[in-house]
Amino acid sequence: MLHIYLLGAVHMEAEGGPLKLPLPSTFSLWAYLLLHRHAPLLRDTIAQTLWPDDSEADARAKLSRQLYRLRSTLPPAPLGEGKEAGWLLTSATTVQWNPQSDFRLDVAEFERLSASPATTLAAVEIYSGDLLPGLYDDWLLYERERLRHLYIANLEQLVQRYRAEHDYRKAIEYAQRLLSADPLHEPIVRQLIAAHYQLGDRAAALAEYERFTRLLATELDAPPMPETVALYETVARNLPLPGSPITDEATAGPNKERRAADSVLPFVGRSHEMVRLEAAWRRAVR
């Protein structure tokens, strides 16, 4: 089986040993075919996407040359029923990475595990870094941001899950991992402050607020959100957090369960719009 890793440090393995990656000139084509492996792609579409500044004829000629080089770079495909076609399926008008070939792609595994809350933790462990970090083609930007957003959403779920289960150390661990990927994620900063406070480490909670306030001032010249300031003031005064047992006893009534749920439920919806917005914002920052 061919193991292909596109998240973080890009590499390829077979039978436990490393393999040579495709040449830099064919790398974009290889990555594009892998990430669009579910259906045959028109040759014209591939050529125009990968070489948008070339004429149609020149782009098609480049595609033909790069396909030849890619085939010669990849290891021999295993033979057997349904596998004789090799890694690539080609016709006069289309090209496709063979989805029936004997390969395993970390991106596919990450997406599969991210689809279920029961396997969120396993999905997070697969994500070892951004998609193809050394490649800067325009077509890749959306895919990279989409997978990054999915990774962050997985971490958000884990933070909320462990806080709801009162496993505050785990909540802190995954909140810190999320902030290493997205330091300005203010809702998770609030989760981190609350988890430190609920663990009994009020000093760490206050220090986290001060650290984030300095970061905001340096990066965006902006103050924290009112919700973050309100949480800080609650911690500074050593008051119970909303949804804590003390608050629940004081506000018991028909809406008690709903208030407790509201304190741990994630923001949902608009995921596609959020991916586009975050991708645009990151490009603007760069």
Side-chain angles (χ1 to χ4, degrees), residues 25-238:
S25 59
T26 61
F27 196 87
S28 290
L29 173 60
W30 178 60
Y32 188 83
L33 293 175
L34 283 168
L35 294 174
H36 298 84
R37 63 196 174 280
H38 300 297
L41 302 167
L42 291 173
R43 285 175 178 257
D44 286 343
T45 299
I46 300 172
Q48 291 167 12
T49 300
L50 297 184
W51 299 283
D53 298 328
D54 290 13
S55 68
E56 184 177 336
D58 288 346
R60 281 291 299 264
K62 279 186 179 179
L63 175 60
S64 297
R65 289 195 298 270
Q66 301 306 343
L67 280 172
Y68 175 80
R69 291 172 183 170
L70 181 59
R71 279 199 185 94
S72 64
T73 303
L74 292 170
L79 299 178
E81 184 179 354
K83 297 176 183 175
E84 292 85 349
W87 303 117
L88 301 177
L89 303 176
T90 59
S91 72
T93 58
T94 64
V95 181
Q96 182 184 11
W97 181 271
N98 186 357
Q100 302 304 318
S101 58
D102 200 11
F103 78 105
R104 184 175 180 178
L105 180 64
D106 62 344
V107 172
E109 191 71 2
F110 171 69
E111 291 181 299
R112 183 184 69 80
L113 294 171
S114 297
S116 169
T119 52
T120 301
L121 183 58
V124 162
E125 297 308 320
I126 284 180
Y127 193 95
S128 57
D130 285 344
L131 175 68
L132 296 164
L135 194 61
Y136 301 101
D137 293 11
D138 287 344
W139 66 265
L140 182 64
L141 293 178
Y142 175 80
E143 278 300 300
R144 180 179 291 147
E145 289 299 328
R146 182 182 69 82
L147 293 173
R148 194 171 188 276
H149 183 78
L150 183 56
Y151 171 64
I152 287 173
N154 288 339
L155 287 170
E156 287 174 338
Q157 288 183 35
L158 291 175
V159 172
Q160 291 155 359
R161 177 194 305 173
Y162 287 124
R163 273 199 68 206
E165 295 173 355
H166 308 294
D167 190 343
Y168 302 121
R169 294 189 188 280
K170 283 287 187 183
I172 290 168
E173 175 187 343
Y174 288 103
Q176 289 172 335
R177 284 180 66 169
L178 194 158
L179 291 174
S180 69
D182 187 359
L184 296 174
H185 196 306
E186 194 158 349
I188 286 297
V189 171
R190 291 196 292 272
Q191 295 271 6
L192 180 57
I193 292 171
H196 276 302
Y197 188 49
Q198 289 170 310
L199 188 61
D201 195 344
R202 181 166 163 265
L206 296 174
E208 197 60 49
Y209 174 83
E210 297 295 342
R211 180 203 63 80
F212 183 68
T213 301
R214 290 192 299 271
L215 179 65
L216 274 180
T218 302
E219 296 292 328
L220 301 179
D221 192 22
M225 294 179 182
E227 300 96 314
T228 309
V229 175
L231 176 61
Y232 166 76
E233 291 175 348
T234 298
V235 174
R237 296 173 184 173
N238 210 18

